Amino acid sequence: MFKLPPISLYIHIPWCLKKCGYCDFYSYVSQEVIPEKEYIKHLLKDFEKDLLLTHNREIKTVFIGGGTPSLLKSISIKKLLYGIKKRNMISKNAEITIEANPKTLEYQRFIHYKNSGVNRFSLGIQTFNSDLLKKIERTYDAKEAIDAIITSKKISDNVNLDLMYGLPGQLLKDALSDLQCAIQHNPTHISWYQLNIEPNTVFYAKKIKLPNEDIISKMSVKGEKLLEQSGYKKYEISSYSKINYQCQHNLNYWNFGDYIGIGCGAHGKITQNNGKIIRTVKNKNINDFLNGNYLNSIHTVSKKDKIFEYFMNAFRLYQPILKKDFQEKTHVTKNFIEKNIQIAIQEGFLINKSNFWRTTQRGKNFLNLLLEIFLK
């Protein structure tokens, strides 16, 4: 029988206080009342349907994302997690993360989240510069961002801060100042990533200008150096952590593990006993979802797409790519991609060893070019 990979659970909460101009995630601007009770009920029904595809595997990690999940009352998160645990086994040591916006962080609410089983908080800070926060249309200021970190750290010893660089009007010193401020508060994890403006966003339509490539490159290089000097090890293209605090949920994605995706617009990947991989996409329309129409599409991933998707994730990580792992998780022999591997080696993107491949720094720098080789 095909060896099934670990499985995680992603739960999408689609409401936000405001849709940021750069955001291309699926979300709704919240009205005065969010139909929390109804949505939780349908999330659990959606979960029940997907469980039929999972072969009773224990859930290793849970990630409640959005949107802004911290808009939900603590009782809603409690009912949600209780309902999940009642329907399927969750690992005793499971990492359970909730995303939060500093504007919606309330101390008592977060205490209740923790008591419900949440053991990791991820704060969408982006920058500590109040002027830049206005430019990227965030709803809080620098003081609120710092207060949110202080509050979170009182509740949990596992806190991630999301920070962006390459913001409109941002200088090199501004980006490094953000990192220094974050490091001062000693979170266990920092996600440090470049702002890219996607075509389906407000910023794209407005043709918002970003810093030039030379400045962005300096932000990246100097920022990475500062983080590593401060005890944060880079384990993925945009992820840095203290020892033993890597995000286990994201590592499961990047190691081509499985995940159930429930809620409006959520995506899932579930491997079957015969080695086939099923992709699910949930309905984006909130009214349809609340009427019980959860599934938008479901399909079996082709051999070509399995190969591309595997490497799209694996190449992001700063670790060897085991040849045995590739074959176990894709059900494709390494001989099938021998020509692609040779091209990648000739281009200086990959190093080939007897048991593994490793991405070179050039491969990391030109990741899109490396991935194009595996589209052929």
Side-chain angles (χ1 to χ4, degrees), residues 21 24 33 49 68 85 117 164 220 249 264 282 328 367 371:
D24 68 335
V33 178
K49 289 180 180 293
T68 307
K85 291 172 184 177
M164 290 196 299
S220 176
H249 186 86
C264 281
K282 299 303 169 63
E328 285 181 351
L367 186 57
L371 286 172

Side-chain angles (χ1 to χ4, degrees), residues 18 39 47 183 196:
K18 183 182 184 300
Y39 192 64
F47 181 59
I183 291 164
N196 289 306

Side-chain angles (χ1 to χ4, degrees), residues 74-116:
S74 53
I75 189 65
S76 296
I77 297 299
K78 182 178 181 179
K79 286 180 178 178
L80 173 61
L81 290 176
Y82 174 78
I84 295 295
K85 291 172 184 177
K86 190 176 178 181
R87 289 162 173 80
N88 196 81
M89 179 71 73
I90 293 180
S91 174
K92 183 180 178 181
N93 299 316
E95 174 192 270
I96 302 178
T97 303
I98 190 168
E99 287 185 329
N101 181 322
K103 194 75 173 181
T104 63
L105 196 155
E106 297 176 14
Y107 185 76
Q108 286 303 322
R109 181 176 290 188
F110 266 52
I111 284 285
H112 291 309
Y113 288 167
K114 184 179 181 182
N115 291 340
S116 299

Side-chain angles (χ1 to χ4, degrees), residues 18 20 22 100-102 123-127 132-141 164:
K18 183 182 184 300
C20 299
Y22 61 84
N101 181 322
L123 306 184
I125 302 296
Q126 315 313 349
T127 176
L132 290 177
L133 284 168
K134 287 180 182 177
K135 283 188 178 181
I136 61 172
E137 301 181 354
R138 302 296 280 180
T139 58
Y140 50 88
D141 59 24
M164 290 196 299

Side-chain angles (χ1 to χ4, degrees), residues 274-293:
N274 59 6
K276 288 184 177 179
I277 294 176
I278 292 172
R279 288 276 183 190
T280 61
V281 181
K282 299 303 169 63
N283 200 326
K284 287 185 176 182
N285 186 293
I286 186 64
N287 292 321
D288 286 345
F289 191 87
L290 293 177
N291 282 322
N293 300 316

Side-chain angles (χ1 to χ4, degrees), residues 290-309:
L290 293 177
N291 282 322
N293 300 316
Y294 311 132
L295 191 63
N296 175 266
S297 67
I298 183 169
H299 73 276
T300 300
V301 182
S302 68
K303 180 187 282 191
K304 175 185 173 183
D305 286 344
K306 275 197 289 188
I307 293 166
F308 177 74
E309 289 178 10

Side-chain angles (χ1 to χ4, degrees), residues 27 54 101 153 155 228 287 304 310:
S27 61
T54 65
N101 181 322
K153 284 183 63 63
I155 301 167
E228 298 206 337
N287 292 321
K304 175 185 173 183
Y310 177 89

